[in-house]
Amino acid sequence: MKTLRDSVLRSLCLVILLLPAMAVAGELKPIELPAPQTSGGMPLMQALKERHSTREFNPEALPPQMLSSLLWAAAGVNRPASGKRTVPSARDWREIDVYVAMAQGMYRYDAKANALQPVVARDLRALTGVQ
């Protein structure tokens, strides 16, 4: 329970920090992403066998194609007729939003449009945690 409470408090603090910068988001433009690559890749069992954690991250930005594919895997629309997603959702409430922190600002992933919608025009990467 303490972990959940800490997580909620951390989120509230981030929102409070973001409020003054929210008006600046108008300076950013939405980013249209290329279509995600949904075929290929390694077999599931091989991916599970090779899965590991790392604490070293490349400072370079992800290529747009890789970012699009990762966002689609995290919360993309995999059934266009119904709008249903790759991520499970109780009662199809779609309660999960995915945010992308970039040098130019913070964006929210719009799964239906496969685009990044601007939230804050400020580099907030240092505030997003160490993972």
Side-chain angles (χ1 to χ4, degrees):
M1 190 66 167
K2 183 179 178 191
T3 305
L4 177 61
R5 184 182 69 221
D6 292 346
S7 178
V8 169
L9 287 174
R10 207 174 6 246
S11 296
L12 286 173
C13 289
L14 183 59
V15 168
I16 290 168
L17 288 171
L18 295 178
L19 284 177
M22 293 291 233
V24 186
E27 297 172 9
L28 292 177
K29 302 284 187 242
I31 299 173
E32 291 185 32
L33 297 168
Q37 291 179 328
T38 59
S39 62
M42 71 174 62
L44 174 63
M45 298 311 257
Q46 181 182 352
L48 292 173
K49 182 179 176 188
E50 295 180 16
R51 194 222 68 77
H52 67 280
S53 296
T54 183
R55 300 292 184 258
E56 296 175 16
F57 301 96
N58 187 333
E60 300 296 318
L62 291 175
Q65 182 63 64
M66 183 181 289
L67 180 59
S68 176
S69 296
L70 286 170
L71 290 169
W72 180 85
V77 175
N78 66 348
R79 291 162 281 176
S82 64
K84 294 191 176 183
R85 311 280 179 89
T86 59
V87 63
S89 174
R91 299 183 183 204
D92 198 25
W93 286 344
R94 302 177 192 174
E95 65 279 357
I96 296 173
D97 285 323
V98 177
Y99 289 82
V100 177
M102 299 178 161
Q104 68 267 30
M106 179 80 73
Y107 294 83
R108 183 185 54 79
Y109 176 55
D110 178 348
K112 187 174 181 182
N114 191 45
L116 296 175
Q117 299 300 327
V119 176
V120 177
R122 214 169 93 196
D123 188 355
L124 300 172
R125 292 176 296 171
L127 300 174
T128 62
V130 295
Q131 301 238 0

